[in-house]
Short mmCIF file of all heavy atoms in Angstrom, two decimals:
data_model
loop_
_atom_site.label_atom_id
_atom_site.label_comp_id
_atom_site.label_asym_id
_atom_site.label_seq_id
_atom_site.Cartn_x
_atom_site.Cartn_y
_atom_site.Cartn_z
N MET Z 1 0.85 -1.20 0.02
CA MET Z 1 0.00 0.00 -0.04
C MET Z 1 0.88 1.28 0.01
O MET Z 1 1.84 1.37 0.76
CB MET Z 1 -0.93 -0.11 1.22
CG MET Z 1 -1.69 1.16 1.34
SD MET Z 1 -2.90 1.35 2.79
CE MET Z 1 -3.00 -0.27 3.55
N SER Z 2 0.56 2.18 -0.85
CA SER Z 2 1.38 3.38 -0.90
C SER Z 2 1.10 4.35 0.26
O SER Z 2 -0.01 4.25 0.91
CB SER Z 2 1.10 4.17 -2.19
OG SER Z 2 -0.23 4.67 -2.19
N GLN Z 3 2.03 5.11 0.54
CA GLN Z 3 1.92 6.14 1.68
C GLN Z 3 0.74 7.11 1.33
O GLN Z 3 0.07 7.51 2.27
CB GLN Z 3 3.16 6.89 2.01
CG GLN Z 3 4.14 5.94 2.54
CD GLN Z 3 5.49 6.69 2.95
OE1 GLN Z 3 5.66 7.87 2.42
NE2 GLN Z 3 6.36 6.03 3.63
N ALA Z 4 0.53 7.49 0.16
CA ALA Z 4 -0.51 8.33 -0.18
C ALA Z 4 -1.90 7.69 0.00
O ALA Z 4 -2.75 8.47 0.55
CB ALA Z 4 -0.37 8.91 -1.73
N PHE Z 5 -2.04 6.54 -0.32
CA PHE Z 5 -3.28 5.85 -0.05
C PHE Z 5 -3.57 5.71 1.35
O PHE Z 5 -4.69 5.73 1.83
CB PHE Z 5 -3.33 4.47 -0.75
CG PHE Z 5 -4.62 3.76 -0.61
CD1 PHE Z 5 -5.65 4.06 -1.45
CD2 PHE Z 5 -4.71 2.64 0.29
CE1 PHE Z 5 -6.89 3.45 -1.28
CE2 PHE Z 5 -5.89 2.03 0.49
CZ PHE Z 5 -6.98 2.37 -0.31
N ALA Z 6 -2.52 5.29 2.20
CA ALA Z 6 -2.76 5.15 3.59
C ALA Z 6 -3.08 6.45 4.16
O ALA Z 6 -3.91 6.45 5.09
CB ALA Z 6 -1.43 4.64 4.21
N GLY Z 7 -2.47 7.56 3.78
CA GLY Z 7 -2.81 8.89 4.35
C GLY Z 7 -4.26 9.32 3.96
O GLY Z 7 -4.92 9.79 4.77
N MET Z 8 -4.69 9.01 2.70
CA MET Z 8 -6.09 9.13 2.34
C MET Z 8 -7.12 8.35 3.09
O MET Z 8 -8.03 8.92 3.61
CB MET Z 8 -6.22 8.92 0.90
CG MET Z 8 -7.71 9.25 0.40
SD MET Z 8 -8.08 8.48 -1.12
CE MET Z 8 -8.15 6.80 -0.78
N ALA Z 9 -6.72 7.13 3.35
CA ALA Z 9 -7.52 6.19 4.20
C ALA Z 9 -7.65 6.78 5.67
O ALA Z 9 -8.82 6.80 6.18
CB ALA Z 9 -7.02 4.81 4.24
N ALA Z 10 -6.59 7.21 6.16
CA ALA Z 10 -6.58 7.83 7.57
C ALA Z 10 -7.43 9.08 7.63
O ALA Z 10 -8.17 9.31 8.58
CB ALA Z 10 -5.20 8.04 7.97
N GLY Z 11 -7.31 9.87 6.50
CA GLY Z 11 -8.07 11.11 6.49
C GLY Z 11 -9.56 10.84 6.41
O GLY Z 11 -10.41 11.50 6.98
N VAL Z 12 -9.91 9.87 5.59
CA VAL Z 12 -11.36 9.53 5.46
C VAL Z 12 -11.77 9.01 6.78
O VAL Z 12 -12.97 9.30 7.36
CB VAL Z 12 -11.57 8.45 4.36
CG1 VAL Z 12 -12.98 7.87 4.34
CG2 VAL Z 12 -11.25 9.13 3.10
N ALA Z 13 -11.11 8.17 7.57
CA ALA Z 13 -11.53 7.58 8.79
C ALA Z 13 -11.72 8.71 9.79
O ALA Z 13 -12.66 8.82 10.57
CB ALA Z 13 -10.54 6.59 9.34
N LEU Z 14 -10.79 9.66 9.89
CA LEU Z 14 -10.82 10.79 10.84
C LEU Z 14 -12.11 11.74 10.46
O LEU Z 14 -12.72 12.23 11.30
CB LEU Z 14 -9.59 11.68 10.77
CG LEU Z 14 -8.39 10.96 11.41
CD1 LEU Z 14 -7.19 11.76 11.14
CD2 LEU Z 14 -8.59 10.76 12.93
N GLY Z 15 -12.28 11.84 9.18
CA GLY Z 15 -13.49 12.62 8.69
C GLY Z 15 -14.71 12.05 9.15
O GLY Z 15 -15.64 12.77 9.65
N PHE Z 16 -14.93 10.68 8.98
CA PHE Z 16 -16.07 10.07 9.37
C PHE Z 16 -16.24 10.11 10.96
O PHE Z 16 -17.42 10.36 11.41
CB PHE Z 16 -16.16 8.58 8.93
CG PHE Z 16 -16.67 8.39 7.59
CD1 PHE Z 16 -15.92 7.81 6.58
CD2 PHE Z 16 -17.90 8.74 7.22
CE1 PHE Z 16 -16.36 7.65 5.29
CE2 PHE Z 16 -18.47 8.53 5.90
CZ PHE Z 16 -17.59 7.98 5.01
N ALA Z 17 -15.23 9.99 11.56
CA ALA Z 17 -15.27 9.99 13.05
C ALA Z 17 -15.64 11.46 13.54
O ALA Z 17 -16.52 11.51 14.50
CB ALA Z 17 -13.92 9.69 13.69
N ALA Z 18 -15.20 12.50 12.94
CA ALA Z 18 -15.56 13.89 13.30
C ALA Z 18 -17.02 14.11 12.96
O ALA Z 18 -17.75 14.78 13.68
CB ALA Z 18 -14.62 14.84 12.56
N PHE Z 19 -17.34 13.62 11.76
CA PHE Z 19 -18.81 13.94 11.33
C PHE Z 19 -19.80 13.26 12.15
O PHE Z 19 -20.77 13.86 12.61
CB PHE Z 19 -18.84 13.51 9.86
CG PHE Z 19 -20.31 13.82 9.29
CD1 PHE Z 19 -20.62 15.16 8.96
CD2 PHE Z 19 -21.21 12.90 9.11
CE1 PHE Z 19 -21.82 15.50 8.40
CE2 PHE Z 19 -22.50 13.20 8.66
CZ PHE Z 19 -22.82 14.50 8.33
N PHE Z 20 -19.53 11.94 12.37
CA PHE Z 20 -20.55 11.15 13.16
C PHE Z 20 -20.36 11.17 14.72
O PHE Z 20 -21.31 10.99 15.45
CB PHE Z 20 -20.50 9.70 12.67
CG PHE Z 20 -21.16 9.61 11.28
CD1 PHE Z 20 -20.22 9.18 10.26
CD2 PHE Z 20 -22.42 9.76 10.95
CE1 PHE Z 20 -20.77 9.07 8.92
CE2 PHE Z 20 -22.94 9.67 9.73
CZ PHE Z 20 -22.07 9.34 8.72
N GLY Z 21 -19.16 11.34 15.22
CA GLY Z 21 -18.96 11.26 16.54
C GLY Z 21 -18.60 12.56 17.38
O GLY Z 21 -18.37 12.50 18.51
N GLY Z 22 -18.19 13.55 16.55
CA GLY Z 22 -17.79 14.83 17.10
C GLY Z 22 -16.25 14.78 17.43
O GLY Z 22 -15.47 13.94 16.95
N VAL Z 23 -15.88 15.91 18.15
CA VAL Z 23 -14.43 16.09 18.52
C VAL Z 23 -13.82 14.95 19.28
O VAL Z 23 -12.75 14.55 18.97
CB VAL Z 23 -14.27 17.47 19.17
CG1 VAL Z 23 -12.75 17.58 19.49
CG2 VAL Z 23 -14.72 18.53 18.33
N GLY Z 24 -14.57 14.45 20.18
CA GLY Z 24 -14.11 13.33 21.04
C GLY Z 24 -13.80 12.04 20.17
O GLY Z 24 -12.66 11.47 20.37
N ALA Z 25 -14.56 11.66 19.31
CA ALA Z 25 -14.33 10.59 18.51
C ALA Z 25 -13.15 10.81 17.51
O ALA Z 25 -12.24 9.99 17.31
CB ALA Z 25 -15.55 10.24 17.70
N PHE Z 26 -13.18 12.04 17.01
CA PHE Z 26 -12.04 12.44 16.11
C PHE Z 26 -10.59 12.29 16.92
O PHE Z 26 -9.76 11.70 16.28
CB PHE Z 26 -12.14 13.97 15.70
CG PHE Z 26 -11.04 14.46 14.85
CD1 PHE Z 26 -10.86 14.22 13.51
CD2 PHE Z 26 -10.02 15.23 15.51
CE1 PHE Z 26 -9.86 14.70 12.78
CE2 PHE Z 26 -8.91 15.68 14.69
CZ PHE Z 26 -8.80 15.46 13.47
N LEU Z 27 -10.58 12.69 18.03
CA LEU Z 27 -9.29 12.62 18.93
C LEU Z 27 -8.94 11.14 19.21
O LEU Z 27 -7.81 10.81 19.16
CB LEU Z 27 -9.42 13.49 20.06
CG LEU Z 27 -9.41 15.04 19.93
CD1 LEU Z 27 -9.64 15.69 21.21
CD2 LEU Z 27 -8.29 15.54 19.23
N LEU Z 28 -9.96 10.45 19.60
CA LEU Z 28 -9.78 9.04 19.79
C LEU Z 28 -9.32 8.28 18.57
O LEU Z 28 -8.25 7.49 18.70
CB LEU Z 28 -11.13 8.34 20.30
CG LEU Z 28 -10.93 6.80 20.69
CD1 LEU Z 28 -10.03 6.59 21.77
CD2 LEU Z 28 -12.32 6.26 20.90
N VAL Z 29 -9.86 8.48 17.45
CA VAL Z 29 -9.39 7.82 16.19
C VAL Z 29 -7.98 8.22 15.91
O VAL Z 29 -7.13 7.52 15.45
CB VAL Z 29 -10.44 8.05 15.04
CG1 VAL Z 29 -9.81 7.65 13.71
CG2 VAL Z 29 -11.73 7.36 15.36
N ALA Z 30 -7.66 9.55 15.99
CA ALA Z 30 -6.26 10.08 15.75
C ALA Z 30 -5.35 9.44 16.70
O ALA Z 30 -4.23 8.96 16.22
CB ALA Z 30 -6.34 11.58 15.80
N ALA Z 31 -5.59 9.32 17.94
CA ALA Z 31 -4.68 8.86 18.92
C ALA Z 31 -4.47 7.24 18.62
O ALA Z 31 -3.26 6.81 18.62
CB ALA Z 31 -5.24 8.97 20.37
N LEU Z 32 -5.51 6.51 18.30
CA LEU Z 32 -5.32 5.11 18.11
C LEU Z 32 -4.58 4.91 16.79
O LEU Z 32 -3.86 3.95 16.68
CB LEU Z 32 -6.70 4.37 18.11
CG LEU Z 32 -7.36 4.33 19.49
CD1 LEU Z 32 -8.83 3.64 19.44
CD2 LEU Z 32 -6.49 3.60 20.52
N GLY Z 33 -4.96 5.79 15.83
CA GLY Z 33 -4.18 5.62 14.63
C GLY Z 33 -2.64 5.94 14.74
O GLY Z 33 -1.81 5.18 14.13
N GLY Z 34 -2.38 6.96 15.49
CA GLY Z 34 -0.92 7.21 15.75
C GLY Z 34 -0.26 6.04 16.51
O GLY Z 34 0.86 5.72 16.22
N LEU Z 35 -0.91 5.49 17.49
CA LEU Z 35 -0.35 4.37 18.14
C LEU Z 35 -0.09 3.18 17.27
O LEU Z 35 0.82 2.49 17.37
CB LEU Z 35 -1.36 3.98 19.32
CG LEU Z 35 -0.89 2.80 20.17
CD1 LEU Z 35 0.44 3.11 20.95
CD2 LEU Z 35 -1.97 2.38 21.19
N GLY Z 36 -1.06 2.93 16.39
CA GLY Z 36 -0.94 1.81 15.46
C GLY Z 36 0.15 2.03 14.44
O GLY Z 36 0.92 1.02 14.21
N TRP Z 37 0.31 3.32 14.03
CA TRP Z 37 1.38 3.58 13.12
C TRP Z 37 2.73 3.41 13.86
O TRP Z 37 3.72 2.85 13.32
CB TRP Z 37 1.31 5.14 12.69
CG TRP Z 37 2.50 5.55 11.96
CD1 TRP Z 37 2.74 5.31 10.62
CD2 TRP Z 37 3.65 6.16 12.44
NE1 TRP Z 37 3.96 5.83 10.36
CE2 TRP Z 37 4.58 6.43 11.40
CE3 TRP Z 37 3.94 6.67 13.79
CZ2 TRP Z 37 5.78 7.00 11.58
CZ3 TRP Z 37 5.23 7.31 13.85
CH2 TRP Z 37 6.18 7.42 12.85
N ALA Z 38 2.96 3.83 15.12
CA ALA Z 38 4.13 3.75 15.95
C ALA Z 38 4.53 2.14 16.08
O ALA Z 38 5.66 1.79 15.79
CB ALA Z 38 4.00 4.45 17.28
N ILE Z 39 3.53 1.39 16.47
CA ILE Z 39 3.78 -0.01 16.57
C ILE Z 39 4.18 -0.73 15.31
O ILE Z 39 5.02 -1.52 15.19
CB ILE Z 39 2.58 -0.67 17.25
CG1 ILE Z 39 2.45 -0.26 18.76
CG2 ILE Z 39 2.74 -2.24 17.26
CD1 ILE Z 39 1.20 -0.70 19.43
N GLY Z 40 3.56 -0.27 14.15
CA GLY Z 40 3.83 -0.85 12.88
C GLY Z 40 5.22 -0.45 12.45
O GLY Z 40 6.01 -1.31 11.94
N ALA Z 41 5.63 0.85 12.68
CA ALA Z 41 6.98 1.29 12.34
C ALA Z 41 7.99 0.61 13.32
O ALA Z 41 9.07 0.16 12.75
CB ALA Z 41 7.11 2.77 12.58
N TRP Z 42 7.62 0.29 14.50
CA TRP Z 42 8.59 -0.49 15.41
C TRP Z 42 8.88 -1.86 14.72
O TRP Z 42 9.98 -2.29 14.75
CB TRP Z 42 7.97 -0.61 16.75
CG TRP Z 42 8.71 -1.51 17.65
CD1 TRP Z 42 8.53 -2.88 17.74
CD2 TRP Z 42 9.72 -1.16 18.60
NE1 TRP Z 42 9.30 -3.40 18.71
CE2 TRP Z 42 10.12 -2.30 19.25
CE3 TRP Z 42 10.19 0.02 18.95
CZ2 TRP Z 42 11.02 -2.35 20.24
CZ3 TRP Z 42 11.23 0.07 19.93
CH2 TRP Z 42 11.58 -1.09 20.60
N PHE Z 43 7.91 -2.55 14.38
CA PHE Z 43 8.07 -3.95 13.83
C PHE Z 43 8.67 -3.87 12.41
O PHE Z 43 9.42 -4.80 12.17
CB PHE Z 43 6.70 -4.62 13.75
CG PHE Z 43 6.23 -5.12 15.06
CD1 PHE Z 43 4.90 -4.74 15.54
CD2 PHE Z 43 6.94 -5.86 15.81
CE1 PHE Z 43 4.48 -5.11 16.74
CE2 PHE Z 43 6.50 -6.37 17.14
CZ PHE Z 43 5.28 -5.91 17.59
N GLU Z 44 8.48 -2.91 11.60
CA GLU Z 44 9.06 -2.87 10.30
C GLU Z 44 10.64 -2.53 10.53
O GLU Z 44 11.43 -2.98 9.67
CB GLU Z 44 8.46 -1.73 9.44
CG GLU Z 44 7.29 -2.19 8.70
CD GLU Z 44 6.73 -1.12 7.80
OE1 GLU Z 44 7.45 -0.09 7.60
OE2 GLU Z 44 5.72 -1.35 7.12
N GLY Z 45 10.92 -1.89 11.55
CA GLY Z 45 12.31 -1.53 11.84
C GLY Z 45 13.08 -2.64 12.41
O GLY Z 45 14.30 -2.44 12.82
N GLY Z 46 12.55 -3.82 12.61
CA GLY Z 46 13.24 -4.93 13.19
C GLY Z 46 13.07 -5.16 14.65
O GLY Z 46 13.57 -6.08 15.25
N GLY Z 47 12.03 -4.48 15.18
CA GLY Z 47 11.79 -4.67 16.59
C GLY Z 47 11.04 -5.95 16.70
O GLY Z 47 10.43 -6.49 15.81
N SER Z 48 11.07 -6.55 17.97
CA SER Z 48 10.31 -7.69 18.23
C SER Z 48 9.32 -7.57 19.37
O SER Z 48 9.36 -6.54 20.09
CB SER Z 48 11.21 -8.87 18.63
OG SER Z 48 11.86 -8.54 19.85
N VAL Z 49 8.43 -8.45 19.46
CA VAL Z 49 7.42 -8.41 20.55
C VAL Z 49 8.23 -8.46 21.95
O VAL Z 49 7.75 -7.72 22.91
CB VAL Z 49 6.47 -9.61 20.46
CG1 VAL Z 49 5.55 -9.62 21.70
CG2 VAL Z 49 5.65 -9.49 19.10
N ARG Z 50 9.22 -9.21 22.03
CA ARG Z 50 9.97 -9.30 23.37
C ARG Z 50 10.48 -7.87 23.67
O ARG Z 50 10.53 -7.38 24.87
CB ARG Z 50 11.18 -10.29 23.28
CG ARG Z 50 11.92 -10.39 24.47
CD ARG Z 50 13.05 -11.48 24.31
NE ARG Z 50 12.34 -12.77 24.23
CZ ARG Z 50 12.88 -13.77 23.62
NH1 ARG Z 50 14.10 -13.64 23.02
NH2 ARG Z 50 12.27 -14.83 23.42
N ASP Z 51 11.14 -7.16 22.71
CA ASP Z 51 11.71 -5.85 22.93
C ASP Z 51 10.58 -4.88 23.42
O ASP Z 51 10.81 -4.14 24.32
CB ASP Z 51 12.40 -5.30 21.74
CG ASP Z 51 13.50 -6.02 21.26
OD1 ASP Z 51 14.12 -6.72 21.99
OD2 ASP Z 51 13.92 -6.02 20.01
N LEU Z 52 9.42 -4.95 22.73
CA LEU Z 52 8.37 -4.10 23.12
C LEU Z 52 7.82 -4.45 24.51
O LEU Z 52 7.63 -3.44 25.26
CB LEU Z 52 7.18 -4.29 22.17
CG LEU Z 52 6.06 -3.28 22.17
CD1 LEU Z 52 6.42 -1.82 21.95
CD2 LEU Z 52 4.98 -3.65 21.13
N ARG Z 53 7.77 -5.57 24.85
CA ARG Z 53 7.18 -5.99 26.22
C ARG Z 53 8.26 -5.51 27.33
O ARG Z 53 7.93 -5.03 28.34
CB ARG Z 53 7.05 -7.56 26.25
CG ARG Z 53 6.51 -7.89 27.61
CD ARG Z 53 6.22 -9.36 27.65
NE ARG Z 53 7.44 -10.12 27.49
CZ ARG Z 53 7.62 -11.33 26.95
NH1 ARG Z 53 6.69 -11.93 26.42
NH2 ARG Z 53 8.87 -11.81 26.84
N GLU Z 54 9.58 -5.69 27.05
CA GLU Z 54 10.66 -5.28 27.89
C GLU Z 54 10.54 -3.74 28.12
O GLU Z 54 10.74 -3.23 29.24
CB GLU Z 54 11.95 -5.67 27.45
CG GLU Z 54 12.15 -7.11 27.68
CD GLU Z 54 13.49 -7.63 26.96
OE1 GLU Z 54 14.29 -6.80 26.44
OE2 GLU Z 54 13.81 -8.85 27.04
N THR Z 55 10.29 -3.02 27.09
CA THR Z 55 10.25 -1.50 27.13
C THR Z 55 9.02 -1.15 27.99
O THR Z 55 9.19 -0.26 28.90
CB THR Z 55 10.09 -0.94 25.73
OG1 THR Z 55 11.22 -1.24 24.93
CG2 THR Z 55 10.06 0.56 25.83
N ILE Z 56 7.91 -1.82 27.84
CA ILE Z 56 6.73 -1.50 28.66
C ILE Z 56 6.92 -1.82 30.11
O ILE Z 56 6.64 -1.16 30.96
CB ILE Z 56 5.49 -2.23 28.05
CG1 ILE Z 56 5.10 -1.68 26.67
CG2 ILE Z 56 4.31 -2.18 29.03
CD1 ILE Z 56 4.09 -2.41 25.92
N GLU Z 57 7.54 -2.91 30.34
CA GLU Z 57 7.78 -3.42 31.77
C GLU Z 57 8.83 -2.47 32.43
O GLU Z 57 8.66 -2.17 33.66
CB GLU Z 57 8.33 -4.75 31.78
CG GLU Z 57 7.24 -5.82 31.52
CD GLU Z 57 7.72 -7.27 31.47
OE1 GLU Z 57 9.09 -7.36 31.50
OE2 GLU Z 57 7.00 -8.13 31.27
N ARG Z 58 9.79 -1.95 31.67
CA ARG Z 58 10.72 -0.99 32.28
C ARG Z 58 10.09 0.29 32.71
O ARG Z 58 10.37 0.92 33.70
CB ARG Z 58 11.91 -0.69 31.27
CG ARG Z 58 13.13 -1.56 31.60
CD ARG Z 58 14.26 -0.99 30.77
NE ARG Z 58 14.26 -1.88 29.52
CZ ARG Z 58 14.47 -1.45 28.31
NH1 ARG Z 58 14.59 -0.12 28.05
NH2 ARG Z 58 14.47 -2.28 27.33
N GLY Z 59 9.01 0.68 31.85
CA GLY Z 59 8.27 1.89 32.23
C GLY Z 59 7.51 1.83 33.50
O GLY Z 59 7.10 2.71 34.12
N ARG Z 60 7.02 0.57 33.84
CA ARG Z 60 6.21 0.47 35.01
C ARG Z 60 6.94 0.44 36.32
O ARG Z 60 6.40 0.59 37.38
CB ARG Z 60 5.50 -0.99 34.91
CG ARG Z 60 4.45 -0.98 33.92
CD ARG Z 60 3.74 -2.34 33.81
NE ARG Z 60 2.83 -2.50 32.76
CZ ARG Z 60 2.20 -3.58 32.39
NH1 ARG Z 60 2.38 -4.66 33.05
NH2 ARG Z 60 1.42 -3.61 31.45
N ARG Z 61 8.21 0.23 36.24
CA ARG Z 61 9.03 0.17 37.48
C ARG Z 61 9.27 1.51 38.02
O ARG Z 61 9.29 2.54 37.78
CB ARG Z 61 10.41 -0.41 37.27
CG ARG Z 61 10.24 -1.95 36.74
CD ARG Z 61 11.53 -2.61 36.55
NE ARG Z 61 11.27 -3.93 36.02
CZ ARG Z 61 12.25 -4.56 35.30
NH1 ARG Z 61 13.48 -4.06 35.18
NH2 ARG Z 61 11.92 -5.74 34.86
#
């Protein structure tokens, strides 16, 4: 999937969320989309589930 298409799909999703759910839904969709993007970039960069789990556990201490 090209980056332009992914950006368009994200824009459409945010538009629907804003139209039907208001500002709160828009912010929720934007935050979850950003989180999904960050996790996807982590895995594409060679990260593993074990590395992600260790990072989260270090943050809890």
Side-chain angles (χ1 to χ4, degrees):
M1 175 178 352
S2 72
Q3 289 183 347
F5 182 77
M8 181 195 66
V12 168
L14 289 171
F16 276 119
F19 184 76
F20 291 110
V23 176
F26 173 83
L27 294 175
L28 178 64
V29 169
L32 292 177
L35 180 64
W37 174 84
I39 291 172
W42 172 274
F43 286 123
E44 277 187 2
S48 68
V49 175
R50 179 179 296 152
D51 295 337
L52 187 60
R53 187 179 60 214
E54 288 174 1
T55 302
I56 292 170
E57 287 177 356
R58 263 189 266 137
R60 291 183 186 172
R61 293 181 193 163

